[in-house]
Amino acid sequence: MSISTKTFRFAASLFVTSSLFSTALMAAEPAAPTPTRAPTAEITNKAAAANNADPLEKADKSTVLATVNGQNITIGDVIDARKLLPAQLSQIPTGVLLPMMIDQMVNQKAIQQMAEKANLENTPEVQQQLKLARMGIIQDAYLKAQVEPKITPEAIKKFYDENIANKPPVKEAHIRHILVKTPAEAEKIIKELKAGKKFADLAKSSSIDKATAGQNGGDLGWVKADELVPDFSKAAFAMKANTTSTTPVKSPFGYHVIQVLAYKDVPVPPLDKVTPMIRQKLIQQNVKAVIDDTVKQSKITKNDAIIKKYTIQPPSAPASAPTSAPAK
């Protein structure tokens, strides 16, 4: 049994990224407590400010930071490598990342040199991977050149005005539920609640939705109607605040006892709070448009008979299998 080079590469990158990320987070962790969910725009702005103030950007790019068997690792190499880091790491100051990045780049350079000595780059397998990598890089470069000029502040503002700004506030409900297999079980729980038993205690002891029952007492948190399966959503949002369903609510997963604790209206977010989301949406839309347009301009033929011959149809899902969860 052999392990593919892809497996090695994935394992190595996963180890490096996770260890780098966890170490960097510990080093960057502030002394004072911080919110668990920081506003996206604030994170983006802080990251941009940190990058703009990066002292390495003003340093001599040819300055040598390390050598591996006579081959240099320069400030320019570090700057290029930083651009490839995951978004979480790119938000961490360079001063925190730099020593770890140097260690990682030293490791990579040493492995690269040994691979070159073994002439592995000329093996058929590596040549095929290089070919595929080159194709991917060229494709990405083309899409970036076509799409990036279109993601402007004006385009983001236009999307916001047309799709978000004039929407009414969204209603959210704070919901708890207990999920059981039969209506009889649900009716028994409803009677126990009326007799004074606590909802959270019954959720822990009776609910088969273990994701919410154990620690949360059946609490789904604040949810929107479209985040729930239809039967559950219709029943829950028809209830008044601080009430519990008096009859079992059937869904694809079983029978629910629902408790609505409160409602609130979530106002339309300001532009700066949703700019990253809009930017990503515009990128997706424009990439699709470029691909569709490119395909239309191309002469394409498909050998449908051969494709059909080797196509394996996925097995049909059981009719009773749920297609979505009570809350996403």
Side-chain angles (χ1 to χ4, degrees):
M1 177 180 177
S2 61
I3 302 177
S4 68
T5 54
K6 184 177 181 181
T7 304
F8 279 116
R9 184 168 62 250
F10 172 76
S13 62
L14 183 63
F15 171 75
V16 169
T17 302
S18 62
S19 60
L20 184 64
F21 186 33
S22 59
T23 307
L25 280 182
M26 286 188 290
E29 186 177 0
T34 56
T36 56
R37 297 176 64 185
T40 305
E42 183 180 351
I43 292 174
T44 305
N45 292 337
K46 287 183 178 179
N51 289 334
N52 292 337
D54 192 342
L56 283 183
E57 293 289 346
K58 298 180 181 180
D60 183 354
K61 305 299 186 292
S62 64
T63 300
V64 176
L65 300 176
T67 62
V68 180
N69 297 320
Q71 292 187 9
N72 295 334
I73 297 173
T74 66
I75 288 178
D77 295 329
V78 171
I79 292 173
D80 290 340
R82 182 179 173 84
K83 295 174 183 176
L84 302 177
L85 290 176
Q88 301 98 315
L89 293 179
S90 66
Q91 298 166 15
I92 299 172
T94 304
V96 175
L97 292 178
L98 183 59
M100 291 172 283
M101 287 188 68
I102 293 297
D103 288 344
Q104 173 57 19
M105 294 174 74
V106 165
N107 294 343
Q108 291 175 336
K109 180 73 73 174
I111 294 295
Q112 177 190 340
Q113 290 175 357
M114 293 300 292
E116 290 172 348
K117 285 182 180 180
N119 200 31
L120 292 177
E121 63 183 298
N122 292 319
T123 62
E125 182 182 4
V126 173
Q127 284 295 307
Q128 177 64 15
Q129 291 181 27
L130 290 173
K131 178 182 176 181
L132 294 174
R134 181 178 182 275
M135 289 169 56
I137 291 169
I138 293 173
Q139 291 164 12
D140 289 346
Y142 177 77
L143 289 172
K144 182 178 180 181
Q146 297 297 311
V147 170
E148 197 169 56
K150 300 176 182 177
I151 313 302
T152 63
E154 293 76 17
I156 292 172
K157 179 66 163 60
K158 183 174 183 290
F159 184 97
Y160 177 81
D161 290 341
E162 293 178 354
N163 298 280
I164 299 176
N166 295 321
K167 284 188 174 181
V170 178
K171 188 176 185 179
E172 287 189 352
H174 186 186
I175 297 174
R176 297 196 293 187
H177 83 130
I178 299 171
L179 175 63
V180 292
K181 294 180 179 179
T182 67
E185 291 176 281
E187 288 168 357
K188 179 175 180 291
I189 289 171
I190 291 171
K191 290 179 181 178
E192 290 176 323
L193 288 170
K194 289 180 178 178
K197 289 194 175 181
K198 293 183 178 179
F199 194 98
D201 293 340
L202 288 173
K204 290 177 182 178
S205 62
S206 305
S207 182
I208 59 175
D209 179 10
K210 299 305 179 185
T212 63
Q215 294 183 347
N216 300 330
D219 199 335
L220 298 173
W222 289 97
V223 291
K224 301 178 179 66
D226 61 4
E227 294 175 338
L228 306 165
V229 292
D231 294 336
F232 187 103
S233 178
K234 183 179 179 181
F237 277 79
M239 295 168 58
K240 293 181 179 180
N242 200 29
T243 61
T244 302
S245 56
T246 56
T247 58
V249 176
K250 190 177 185 299
S251 84
F253 307 101
Y255 294 84
H256 305 260
V257 178
I258 301 173
Q259 185 178 74
V260 176
L261 300 175
Y263 289 105
K264 69 178 180 180
D265 288 331
V266 181
V268 175
L271 175 60
D272 64 329
K273 300 295 184 185
V274 292
T275 291
M277 180 275 291
I278 295 174
R279 188 191 309 278
Q280 188 60 37
K281 185 72 173 178
L282 289 176
I283 290 173
Q284 293 171 353
Q285 290 178 351
N286 281 279
V287 165
K288 184 179 185 304
V290 170
I291 293 173
D292 291 345
D293 185 59
T294 304
V295 169
K296 286 180 182 178
Q297 296 180 46
S298 304
K299 183 179 180 181
I300 298 170
T301 61
K302 293 182 179 180
N303 193 331
D304 291 328
I306 299 298
I307 294 172
K308 183 178 181 180
K309 178 181 177 180
Y310 292 105
T311 297
I312 299 175
Q313 296 295 336
S316 299
S320 60
T323 57
S324 57
K328 297 178 182 177

